[in-house]
Amino acid sequence: MEERKLRAIITGGSRGIGKAILVELAKRNCISVMFSDVAVEGDDFNAHAKKIEDEIGNGTKVYGFKADASKFDEAEATIAEAVEKMGGVDIMINNAGITRDNLLMRMTEADFDLVININLKSVFNYTKAAMRPMMKQRYGKIVNIASVVGLMGNAGQANYSASKAGVIGFTKTMARELSSRNINVNAIAPGFIETDMTSKLNDNQKEALLTNVPLKRMGQPEDIAKAVAFLCSSDADYITGQVLTVDGGMVM
């Protein structure tokens, strides 16, 4: 356990990888955590937050906030709410993301723009909003969720690959800009993880994908969460501007 009790925000944190990250941080070193998302089951963010809080069951306070991560004013509102409810922000996890896959020949401009706005512009929005309280307190951990396709590309994912490659470039630049204020900025590049996105694949598609994974299995959201928790801990105080691939050896 960390001596310092931290306060974290996770975009897209109501389910999947985002929720796994929220739960892992709450169990390790956070006294309070907040997820932002565009929607939750039943559209009751307080009830959803209380449900997660009860699941964790260790006294960590969980807050939910409805926000579109692609809109800067809503990112600012999230940070303001976090400062009011939690007293500050120590950890910012930029996790919100979607896919709209298609070959470029068939990809619409709307689908390209949507993926860029949610996957990449959201990282700008929340980093810019969260860095102000972090700079004032001279402490912060920012972890951006990228993807292995941002490193290697993938046919049918020009929009997604571009957005995640952008996240990686943004991460390295922010690490340089914020280091003097004791703010670490890193990225995680997940491989094939069992989530709602990958659940749409049939068995043949999954088998084909796993031929490129030396460990011969898909990862779990908890695999990503544990890596994020490490980068948010004091054990990673001398790590910044890095991209940690969590992919079963897919990209070496």
Side-chain angles (χ1 to χ4, degrees):
M1 294 291 290
E2 298 290 322
E3 292 181 5
R4 186 182 186 118
K5 290 298 182 180
L6 305 175
R7 302 151 296 184
I9 299 174
I10 302 93
T11 64
S14 67
R15 59 192 177 91
I17 290 174
K19 181 184 175 183
I21 293 170
L22 183 147
V23 170
E24 190 70 23
L25 291 175
K27 287 181 176 178
R28 292 200 185 198
N29 62 341
C30 284
I31 194 169
S32 54
V33 290
M34 174 180 284
F35 68 83
S36 71
D37 223 320
V38 290
V40 296
E41 186 177 349
D43 205 35
D44 188 334
F45 278 71
N46 290 331
H48 194 77
K50 184 63 169 62
K51 181 180 178 181
I52 297 174
E53 186 178 297
D54 290 342
E55 289 175 10
I56 297 168
N58 67 351
T60 299
K61 186 65 181 175
V62 178
Y63 300 96
F65 191 76
K66 186 173 185 176
D68 181 344
S70 69
K71 297 179 179 178
F72 183 70
D73 60 339
E74 296 192 23
E76 284 192 313
T78 307
I79 302 303
E81 181 79 358
V83 170
E84 179 182 341
K85 292 285 178 66
M86 301 193 298
V89 180
D90 304 296
I91 295 172
M92 182 70 241
I93 310 298
N94 288 303
N95 167 75
I98 63 166
T99 57
R100 291 292 185 274
D101 297 349
N102 218 329
L103 294 174
L104 186 61
M105 185 180 296
R106 302 189 185 98
M107 186 177 292
T108 66
E109 181 182 6
D111 279 348
F112 187 88
D113 289 346
L114 182 65
V115 170
I116 294 295
N117 285 336
I118 293 178
N119 295 8
L120 179 56
K121 187 171 183 291
S122 66
V123 180
F124 162 84
N125 292 340
Y126 274 88
T127 299
K128 187 171 176 64
M131 64 189 281
R132 291 167 181 166
M134 287 182 176
M135 290 174 72
K136 186 176 181 180
Q137 68 193 16
R138 300 188 70 85
Y139 179 86
K141 303 280 190 178
I142 300 173
V143 179
N144 302 320
I145 306 302
S147 170
V148 291
V149 302
L151 295 168
M152 58 184 283
N154 195 35
Q157 290 192 306
N159 47 6
Y160 189 76
S161 298
S163 71
K164 295 303 186 178
V167 168
I168 290 169
F170 184 86
T171 297
K172 292 178 179 291
T173 298
M174 287 302 98
R176 293 182 182 277
E177 290 190 12
L178 298 177
S179 60
S180 65
R181 297 301 181 99
N182 195 34
I183 300 171
N184 301 68
V185 188
N186 292 289
I188 298 285
F192 294 115
I193 309 298
E194 288 192 20
T195 64
D196 289 345
M197 285 186 186
T198 56
S199 67
K200 298 173 185 176
L201 301 173
N202 60 44
D203 289 342
N204 289 336
Q205 289 173 318
K206 290 180 181 180
E207 187 176 342
L209 292 174
L210 291 178
T211 60
N212 296 316
V213 180
L215 289 183
K216 299 303 178 187
R217 65 177 177 83
M218 297 182 73
Q220 298 298 315
E222 290 75 18
D223 293 319
I224 306 304
K226 290 172 184 176
V228 170
F230 164 69
L231 289 175
C232 293
S233 74
S234 60
D235 291 336
D237 282 349
Y238 200 55
I239 300 173
T240 196
Q242 302 305 304
V243 182
L244 176 59
T245 56
V246 184
D247 62 356
M250 183 179 173
V251 177
M252 296 188 186

